[in-house]
């Protein structure tokens, strides 16, 4: 089971569960501590999913509003951390699918990096496009696992967020990796 | 490092290109300031809405729940939007009967949790908000506003208030991945939802309703049956089966029940197990459903449909027999 004291932004000695419980009692500072502890990673997941800063920021706001509301419903055995990142990925996918439905995906999938050498910028943009296109050919669970792992979430964290047994994460990642490589090669081969 | 680990590492390195550049990095301080602003505005708005809701009793809730049910049903009664020409929007759902189904608190909690976690069956766009109840002078005035003459209780106590609430409309664009995720998380078979559902649009219209409150506490609500438009080329039985499974019905039982229901005209009425029971009754010669809460202080209610209208009567202080007698006297 994940705890708020696992590592990275979760190294603070006060657990996420405890901070959220304090939030439920009206402690605004506790919630802000949670916000500051997790914002970077929540934003990081969303940016990787939606590929656009403004949209990632908007969805991140929604994620933390939901976390704030969740405080009142929290149960002592809840895994708050996993809940938070699960909501982030769910809302990120909702945003992505919503955009796809509006047929705007190609217009905003790849953000325009500011500055830099033109060739480098274009090459990076093309690489992002290919990687994102390859990810879109995977199941959402596979893509989600790869993104989480790339952000150095532990196997236990990945399992708790995605909702699979910790022992199955390695095999799922391997399968996701194979699917990604095949899809990526098709993308690059199709140039 | 074995070969598998090496391959995974190689993949993850490839994915690193998606990480934000310095110009795209998170700005937590700005984000927190923005959050404070949003959050500070929310409680006041919620408070006002809450107060407003309370002043209109529970009538809005009743109609809202009705809309929710229609929408929930609509989610699973959608169609392929790729052929969303007007001629495809021919399937028309109108309530002709109710099918009550008992739902466990655990299943309801699970569904609530899934919604909270951001799983959604699609995007629902409200094109016309349901109105707030507006008190009018008489049923005759209500008829002029709502467009239908409300039935009344001839043997009633005094009518102490009549109000009209304008209807609402909206449409759902189905997100198949989200819908399947909900179905799967609820313990049902996600593949019951066909691929053709993705992107489908379902239009929902709820008409004006009239409420009449009597001095014995009886509340009579009535409204034309809501409409749900969907195309004719989707088998609603299969989608109804999925909905039953989502509500916690065993797969074999869900299959059996789904086959026995006319899904083009039946509105599922989920009844939380822990809150009360239901039973089928006859009102004015047609089938209806009596809802009896376990809490003796909560009011009993009966719902029925007749001649294209949906009726709901709340009992006030009446017994079940008195409630049914009153419902049978509605003219």
């Amino acid at each position: 089971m994940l705890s708020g004291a696992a590592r990275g932004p979760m190294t603070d000695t006060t657990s996420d569960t405890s901070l959220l419980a304090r939030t439920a009692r009206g402690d605004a500072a506790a919630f802000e501590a949670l916000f500051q502890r997790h914002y970077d990673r929540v934003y990081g997941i969303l940016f990787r999913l939606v590929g656009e800063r403004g949209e990632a920021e908007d969805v991140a706001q929604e994620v933390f509003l939901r976390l704030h509301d969740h405080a009142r419903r929290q149960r002592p055995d809840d895994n708050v951390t996993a809940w938070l990142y699960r909501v982030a990925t769910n809302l990120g996918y909702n945003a992505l699918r919503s955009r796809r439905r509006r047929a705007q995906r190609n217009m905003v999938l790849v953000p325009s990096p500011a500055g830099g050498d033109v060739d480098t910028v274009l090459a990076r943009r093309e690489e992002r496009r290919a990687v994102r296109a390859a990810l879109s050919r995977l199941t959402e669970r596979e893509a989600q696992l790869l993104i989480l792992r790339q952000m150095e979430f532990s196997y236990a964290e990945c399992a708790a967020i995605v909702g699979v047994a910790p022992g199955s994460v390695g095999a799922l990642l391997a399968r996701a990796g194979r699917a990604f490589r095949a899809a990526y090669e098709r993308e690059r081969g199709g140039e | 490092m074995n070969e598998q680990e090496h391959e995974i590492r190689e993949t993850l390195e490839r994915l690193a290109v998606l990480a934000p550049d310095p110009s795209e990095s998170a700005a937590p301080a700005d984000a927190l300031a923005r959050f404070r602003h949003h959050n500070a505005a929310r409680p006041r708005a919620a408070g006002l809405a809450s107060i407003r809701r309370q002043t209109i009793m529970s009538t809005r809730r009743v109609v809202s729940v009705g809309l929710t049910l229609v929408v929930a049903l609509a989610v699973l009664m959608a169609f392929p939007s790729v052929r969303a020409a007007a001629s495809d929007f021919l399937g028309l759902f109108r309530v002709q009967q109710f099918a009550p189904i008992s739902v466990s608190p655990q299943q309801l909690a699970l569904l609530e949790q899934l919604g909270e976690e951001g799983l959604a069956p699609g995007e629902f766009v409200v094109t016309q908000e349901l109105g707030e109840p507006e008190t009018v002078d008489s049923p005759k005035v209500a008829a002029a506003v709502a467009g239908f003459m409300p039935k009344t209780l001839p043997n009633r106590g005094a009518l102490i208030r009549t109000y009209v609430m304008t209807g609402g409309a909206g449409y759902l664009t189905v997100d198949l991945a989200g819908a399947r995720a909900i179905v799967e998380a609820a313990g049902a078979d996600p593949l019951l939802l066909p691929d053709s559902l993705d992107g489908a649009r379902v239009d929902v219209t709820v008409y004006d309703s009239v409420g009449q409150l009597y001095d014995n506490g009886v509340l009579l609500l009535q409204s034309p049956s809501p409409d749900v438009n969907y195309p004719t080329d989707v088998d609603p039985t299969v989608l109804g089966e999925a909905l039953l499974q989502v509500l916690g019905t065993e797969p074999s039982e869900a299959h059996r029940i789904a086959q026995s229901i006319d899904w083009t005209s039946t509105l599922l009425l989920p009844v939380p197990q822990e809150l009360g029971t239901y039973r089928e009754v006859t009102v004015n010669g047609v089938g209806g459903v009596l809802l009896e809460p376990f809490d003796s202080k909560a009011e009993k209610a009966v719902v029925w449909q007749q001649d294209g209208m949906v009726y709901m009567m709340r009992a006030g202080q009446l017994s079940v027999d008195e409630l049914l007698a009153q419902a049978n006297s509605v003219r």
Side-chain angles (χ1 to χ4, degrees), chain B residues 170-279:
Chain B
Y171 63 88
L172 175 83
T173 307
V174 176
D175 172 6
L176 183 62
R180 278 183 171 161
I182 290 172
V183 170
E184 186 174 19
D189 179 4
L191 295 181
L192 278 172
L193 303 182
D195 290 346
S196 57
L197 212 54
D198 200 24
R201 176 175 155 155
V202 181
D203 283 80
V204 181
T205 305
V206 176
Y207 295 99
D208 291 0
S209 57
V210 173
Q212 296 169 93
L213 182 66
Y214 296 91
D215 63 357
N216 57 2
V218 169
L219 173 70
L220 174 62
L221 269 176
Q222 51 198 301
S223 169
S225 296
D227 287 342
V228 180
N229 282 301
Y230 64 95
T232 52
D233 59 347
V234 163
D235 179 4
T237 304
V238 172
L239 305 179
E241 185 178 335
L243 178 57
L244 285 165
Q245 286 197 33
V246 165
L247 292 172
T249 309
E250 288 295 320
S252 59
E253 185 69 355
H255 182 71
R256 189 190 64 73
I257 295 172
Q259 299 293 326
S260 69
I261 287 179
D262 177 1
W263 291 97
T264 61
S265 61
T266 304
L267 187 63
L268 270 191
L269 205 59
V271 180
Q273 256 171 23
E274 81 282 21
L275 294 184
T277 60
Y278 63 84
R279 66 183 159 101

Side-chain angles (χ1 to χ4, degrees), chain A residues 46-98:
Chain A
L46 292 169
F47 185 86
R48 284 164 173 80
L49 277 174
V50 303
E52 200 268 324
R53 179 176 187 160
E55 189 167 16
E57 287 175 337
D58 288 348
V59 181
Q61 290 286 321
E62 174 65 21
V63 171
F64 282 99
L65 286 171
R66 289 196 183 215
L67 177 65
H68 194 271
D69 290 344
H70 183 64
R72 282 171 286 139
R73 304 185 190 96
Q74 186 195 198
R75 293 181 301 251
D77 58 343
D78 276 354
N79 184 337
V80 174
T81 321
W83 186 92
L84 176 65
Y85 291 108
R86 188 157 57 244
V87 171
T89 51
N90 285 341
L91 294 186
Y93 271 114
N94 287 352
L96 204 55
R97 292 195 293 257
S98 171

Side-chain angles (χ1 to χ4, degrees), chain B residues 278-291:
Chain B
Y278 63 84
R279 66 183 159 101
E280 293 179 7
V281 292
T282 300
V283 180
N284 284 327
V286 299
V289 178
L290 175 71
L291 304 163

Side-chain angles (χ1 to χ4, degrees), chain A residues 31-32 35-36 39-40 43 47-48 53 57-58 61 64-66 68-70 73 75 83 86-87 90-91 94 97-98 101-102 111 113-114 124 127-128 131-132 135 140 146-147 149-150 155 170 173-174 177-178 180-181 184, chain B residues 4-5 7-8 10-28 30-36 38-39 42 109 112-120 122-123 173-178 184 198-199:
Chain A
F31 186 79
E32 293 194 357
F35 190 103
Q36 283 163 338
Y39 185 83
D40 276 359
Y43 172 83
F47 185 86
R48 284 164 173 80
R53 179 176 187 160
E57 287 175 337
D58 288 348
Q61 290 286 321
F64 282 99
L65 286 171
R66 289 196 183 215
H68 194 271
D69 290 344
H70 183 64
R73 304 185 190 96
R75 293 181 301 251
W83 186 92
R86 188 157 57 244
V87 171
N90 285 341
L91 294 186
N94 287 352
R97 292 195 293 257
S98 171
R101 283 193 294 273
R102 293 187 184 108
R124 183 169 170 75
E127 177 64 1
R128 275 184 166 178
V131 169
R132 203 175 293 284
L135 275 180
E140 287 185 4
L146 287 176
I147 288 173
R149 194 67 190 123
Q150 193 278 322
Y155 276 32
L173 269 173
R178 279 195 299 275
F180 173 82
R181 282 192 300 282
Y184 178 80
Chain B
Q4 181 173 297
E5 285 169 343
E7 284 179 357
I8 292 174
E10 211 175 317
T11 300
L12 298 180
E13 281 169 5
R14 182 79 67 194
L15 260 63
V17 74
L18 297 181
D21 289 333
S23 66
E24 301 160 332
S25 294
D30 293 347
L32 183 55
R34 189 177 163 201
F35 180 87
R36 284 184 188 129
H38 283 161
N39 203 37
R42 286 201 311 159
E112 188 181 349
Q113 180 196 329
L114 295 176
E116 204 183 297
E117 290 180 2
L119 286 183
E123 283 182 296
T173 307
V174 176
D175 172 6
L176 183 62
E184 186 174 19
D198 200 24

